[in-house]
Amino acid sequence: MPHAIRFHQTGGPEVLCWEEVAVGDPAPGEARVRHEAIGLNFIDTYHRGGLYPLPLPSGLGREGAGVVEAVGEGVTDIKPGDRVAYGTGPLGAYSEVRCMPADRLHKLPDGIDFKTGAAMMLQGMTTAYLLLHTYPVQSGDKVLIHAAAGGVGLIACQWAKALGATVIGTVSSEAKAELARKHGCDHVILYTQEDVASRVREITAEGVAVVYDGVGKDTFMASLDSLRRRGLLVTFGNASGAVPPFDPLLLSKKGSLYVTRPVLDHYSTTRAELLALGNALFDVVLSGKVKIEVNQTYALADAAQAHRDLEARKTTGSTVLLP
Ligand code: NDP
């Protein structure tokens, strides 16, 4: 029987269990995918920990890459033998093999290997919608990207730079600062030691056009204070905890600011939207403008250790789990 990581109660990484699972033939509209690599994402820790509640027991993970073994009735554009990857699958990617809706799969271009495919889809399509749709970055824009050496961070810094932005990134250590600089950051702020908003004012005078904030609770105020008049705060994650309620009058006082709280699913709901994001990502990676840094790999059965390291801020770039 194949194995998967599942959990029966929410909690720390210790709730993750390596279990035998029955995987049958794909239902109509589904494909059975044998994973070669699985992507690790911060959202997996919110599911495991209960911040985003789920019916239990549950599988985990929304991102993977592998080979299609079989397809169900009605699936025409994906066939057995195809190399595929996905970043918006239903939970259950932490598995050796699974069935999933075929309309969430992307065909993986020949120039992209499985590890890279599993590492890049969720973080890369997130970066695509953030930089191309939520606030379309223009050449000459000054942008602030928090957790610049992380998974989304390293992709976003390179992509924003390629779009012609001046990129300011925040990180927690000198080693991460060095990495961010090598991946498109023009200015790096050590947000564990420096005052972010004052440093942003020193660098830009008027403030930045947009802040991409996946850190959440700890950076929310500094993000608002770093914006130019009528700037946009894109608060898209909670790595430090969820942002508490705030008074909208703050936005008027600080310069008629905008705030949005987007999620990838709402930018990839239709098959056409999903493929457009995936193709934009494939193009920018194949062009060499964005390099996907897979800086950690773990055995899938050791997913708990991968979660510990991610939550302890020990990882940089992207991480994959190998079945
Ligand atoms: P990362 O690889 O960026 O890891 C999170 C990083 O956040 C850490 O490396 C750390 O960098 C920083 N961080 C700051 N404070 C803390 C803290 N208290 N505990 C842990 N880490 C902290 O993860 P991902 O690239 O997977 O995700 C980045 C963010 O984007 C997450 O919040 C995630 O939920 C969000 N996201 C949102 C999506 C959406 O559509 N809304 C989709 C995908 C991701 P440092 O040490 O430099 O501070």
XYZ file of all heavy atoms in Angstrom, residues 5 10 12 16 42 64-65 95 98 103 122 132 137 140 154 171 195 209 214 227 232 253 257 265 279 285 306 311 322:
209
model
N 1.391 11.319 4.488
C 1.371 12.006 5.779
C -0.062 12.458 6.028
O -0.671 13.115 5.174
C 2.311 13.233 5.765
C 3.772 12.807 5.643
C 2.061 14.117 6.989
C 4.431 12.368 6.925
N -5.192 18.688 15.348
C -4.294 19.801 15.044
C -3.290 19.950 16.178
O -3.534 19.503 17.294
C -5.084 21.107 14.864
O -5.874 21.319 16.036
C -5.979 21.045 13.648
N 1.282 20.685 17.020
C 2.654 20.868 16.544
C 3.005 19.821 15.494
O 2.185 18.951 15.166
N 1.837 14.935 12.861
C 1.911 14.373 11.500
C 2.256 12.883 11.563
O 3.244 12.492 12.195
C 2.961 15.125 10.674
C 2.699 16.627 10.507
C 3.818 17.268 9.678
C 1.337 16.898 9.863
N 4.371 27.424 3.863
C 3.993 27.877 5.195
C 2.526 27.585 5.481
O 2.144 27.313 6.617
C 4.312 29.370 5.387
C 4.833 29.636 6.770
C 6.187 29.577 7.050
C 3.952 29.891 7.814
C 6.660 29.770 8.342
C 4.408 30.084 9.107
C 5.757 30.030 9.377
N 2.699 19.645 -5.709
C 3.553 18.513 -6.010
C 3.885 18.439 -7.493
O 3.387 19.231 -8.309
N 4.761 17.480 -7.816
C 5.107 17.231 -9.220
C 5.334 15.744 -9.388
O 5.813 15.075 -8.468
C 6.371 18.001 -9.602
N 2.048 12.790 -0.167
C 1.700 11.389 -0.394
C 2.565 10.840 -1.521
O 3.073 11.607 -2.350
C 0.220 11.279 -0.789
O -0.043 12.096 -1.916
N -1.539 9.910 -5.453
C -2.870 10.409 -5.087
C -3.726 10.574 -6.321
O -3.205 10.699 -7.443
C -2.754 11.765 -4.392
C -2.399 12.861 -5.372
C -2.355 14.238 -4.767
N -3.642 14.656 -4.238
C -3.892 15.891 -3.784
N -2.933 16.810 -3.833
N -5.073 16.209 -3.324
N -8.146 19.086 -13.652
C -8.129 20.492 -14.107
C -7.308 21.406 -13.207
O -7.272 22.609 -13.400
C -9.556 21.027 -14.285
C -10.325 21.135 -12.984
O -9.751 20.838 -11.912
O -11.516 21.519 -13.038
N 3.279 26.714 -6.140
C 2.428 27.495 -5.220
C 3.068 28.861 -4.938
O 2.426 29.908 -5.062
C 2.212 26.698 -3.936
C 0.982 27.074 -3.098
C 0.648 25.970 -2.109
C 1.137 28.372 -2.360
N 1.623 40.725 -10.737
C 1.033 41.045 -12.050
C -0.415 41.500 -11.935
O -0.914 42.182 -12.825
C 1.109 39.827 -12.985
C 2.506 39.232 -13.198
C 2.442 38.014 -14.109
C 3.466 40.271 -13.767
N 3.192 45.576 -10.837
C 4.430 46.337 -10.637
C 4.895 46.936 -11.963
O 4.959 46.243 -12.988
C 5.523 45.415 -10.048
C 6.871 46.122 -10.013
C 5.128 44.951 -8.653
N 10.311 51.211 -12.342
C 10.508 52.434 -11.564
C 9.787 52.438 -10.228
O 10.087 53.268 -9.364
N 12.153 35.010 -2.216
C 13.248 34.980 -3.203
C 12.709 35.046 -4.634
O 13.333 35.639 -5.513
C 14.097 33.716 -3.043
C 15.184 33.719 -1.976
C 16.075 32.489 -2.148
C 16.038 34.978 -1.986
N 14.644 40.858 6.157
C 15.082 39.507 6.549
C 15.503 39.548 8.014
O 15.698 40.634 8.565
C 16.298 39.029 5.712
C 15.956 38.877 4.239
C 17.476 39.961 5.893
N 14.491 49.693 12.461
C 13.113 50.169 12.331
C 12.767 50.244 10.836
O 13.369 51.021 10.085
C 12.980 51.544 12.988
C 11.545 52.025 12.921
O 10.722 51.500 13.670
O 11.243 52.888 12.059
N 5.348 52.194 -3.146
C 4.028 52.096 -3.790
C 3.227 50.924 -3.234
O 1.999 50.975 -3.144
C 4.219 51.917 -5.298
N 3.885 38.915 3.836
C 3.469 37.556 4.193
C 3.775 37.244 5.651
O 3.574 36.129 6.097
N 4.370 52.985 3.471
C 3.715 53.265 2.185
C 3.733 54.752 1.841
O 3.670 55.613 2.713
C 2.258 52.790 2.232
C 2.063 51.271 2.155
C 0.639 50.902 2.530
C 2.406 50.747 0.758
N -0.511 50.776 -1.418
C -1.288 49.547 -1.176
C -0.512 48.559 -0.307
O 0.626 48.191 -0.638
C -1.607 48.874 -2.523
C -2.255 47.478 -2.453
C -3.636 47.521 -1.807
C -2.348 46.864 -3.856
N -5.637 58.373 8.190
C -4.582 59.159 8.877
C -3.222 58.967 8.217
O -2.418 59.872 8.157
C -4.472 58.733 10.343
C -5.626 59.193 11.201
C -5.391 58.772 12.648
C -6.670 58.898 13.448
N -6.856 57.815 14.411
N -4.617 55.133 2.530
C -3.984 53.879 2.080
C -5.031 52.840 1.701
O -6.195 52.936 2.090
C -3.115 53.317 3.210
C -2.056 54.265 3.772
C -1.311 53.607 4.923
C -1.076 54.695 2.672
N -6.286 31.110 -4.470
C -7.473 30.448 -5.031
C -8.384 31.427 -5.771
O -9.007 31.064 -6.768
C -8.283 29.759 -3.920
C -7.618 28.465 -3.472
O -6.702 27.991 -4.180
O -7.996 27.935 -2.422
N 1.565 29.589 -16.735
C 2.377 29.869 -17.920
C 3.270 31.095 -17.719
O 4.419 31.117 -18.177
C 1.484 30.037 -19.148
C 0.868 28.693 -19.558
O 1.397 27.627 -19.211
N -0.251 28.734 -20.261
N 10.664 31.580 -15.426
C 11.696 30.647 -14.958
C 12.540 30.155 -16.139
O 13.776 30.150 -16.083
C 11.052 29.460 -14.191
C 12.061 28.341 -13.935
C 10.475 29.953 -12.866
N 10.732 19.002 8.651
C 10.668 20.122 7.705
C 9.790 21.240 8.281
O 10.130 22.423 8.192
C 10.109 19.632 6.368
N 9.176 26.656 10.582
C 8.605 27.536 11.615
C 9.679 28.179 12.481
O 9.439 29.217 13.093
C 7.617 26.745 12.479
C 6.348 26.410 11.712
C 5.385 25.534 12.511
O 5.714 24.359 12.742
O 4.326 26.035 12.899
N 10.715 14.508 -0.458
C 10.890 13.468 -1.478
C 10.271 12.153 -1.035
O 10.600 11.631 0.034
C 12.383 13.277 -1.768
C 13.082 14.543 -2.288
C 14.584 14.309 -2.446
C 12.466 15.001 -3.604
